[in-house]
């Protein structure tokens, strides 16, 4: 049906992740404060330290340019600003130690620890096929 809508929620925080040196000390000013990308532990480049809200915006832009754009509603939910007790499915994800960002589609957690635009799109297609 053309009037069915898939609801995507991206749970995350709207701030930069911390960049740390191999010795455990933090870089001043986030990852951009590192003297070189090699000095950021766990990050081959500072670009890998992308803000979760920016990842969400990239997903929004990606979905806008697809054939399912009119059948998708999206929302970024900053976990620092919500009462997680209102989200049973998010509580379950946290109990399982899922890492942010968490992507829920129609109130079911589908992805965590990152956002793959193509994988989210494929899941939306599956949801729409069930209507």
């Amino acid at each position: 049906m053309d009037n069915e809508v898939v609801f995507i929620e991206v749970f995350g925080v709207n701030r930069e992740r911390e960049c740390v040196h191999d010795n455990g000390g933090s870089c001043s000013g986030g990852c951009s404060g590192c003297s070189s990308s090699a000095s950021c532990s766990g990050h081959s480049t500072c670009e890998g330290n992308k803000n979760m809200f920016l990842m969400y915006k990239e997903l929004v832009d990606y979905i806008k340019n697809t054939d399912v754009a009119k059948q998708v509603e999206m929302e970024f939910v900053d976990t620092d600003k919500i009462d997680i007790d209102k989200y049973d499915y998010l509580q379950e994800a946290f109990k399982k130690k899922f890492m942010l960002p968490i992507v829920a589609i129609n109130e079911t957690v589908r992805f965590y620890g990152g956002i793959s635009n193509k994988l989210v799109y494929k899941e939306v297609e599956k949801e729409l096929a069930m209507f």
Side-chain angles (χ1 to χ4, degrees):
M1 289 186 176
D2 290 336
N3 61 350
E4 298 296 339
V5 174
V6 174
F7 185 52
I8 300 173
E9 294 165 293
V10 175
F11 295 91
V13 289
N14 191 6
R15 64 174 188 247
E16 286 187 39
R17 287 187 270 172
E18 285 200 21
C19 173
V20 293
H21 288 288
D22 292 331
N23 65 10
S26 118
C27 300
S28 62
C31 200
S32 60
C34 293
S35 59
S36 72
S37 60
S39 69
C40 293
S41 176
H43 301 286
S44 58
T45 67
C46 288
E47 186 179 350
N49 201 24
K50 200 178 291 183
N51 174 301
M52 291 179 205
F53 185 72
L54 293 178
M55 286 190 263
Y56 163 76
K57 295 299 276 180
E58 289 174 359
L59 176 63
V60 169
D61 291 342
Y62 182 87
I63 294 294
K64 278 184 185 177
N65 292 309
T66 67
D67 57 327
V68 300
K70 292 182 180 181
Q71 294 173 282
V72 174
E73 282 186 32
M74 300 178 70
E75 179 180 6
F76 181 83
V77 181
D78 190 331
T79 57
D80 283 345
K81 298 178 181 179
I82 62 165
D83 177 5
I84 67 163
D85 292 338
K86 295 180 180 177
Y87 299 89
D88 294 339
Y89 50 101
L90 185 60
Q91 288 178 27
E92 287 300 313
F94 283 149
K95 285 179 189 173
K96 294 177 182 177
K97 308 263 190 245
F98 289 178
M99 294 184 64
L100 296 174
I102 294 173
V103 179
I105 298 176
N106 291 337
E107 298 186 350
T108 301
V109 172
R110 300 292 175 89
F111 305 102
Y112 61 92
I115 301 173
S116 168
N117 297 340
K118 290 179 183 177
L119 291 177
V120 172
Y121 171 77
K122 294 274 186 206
E123 286 299 314
V124 169
E125 282 186 318
K126 288 178 190 176
E127 286 289 318
L128 290 171
M130 290 192 288
F131 292 142

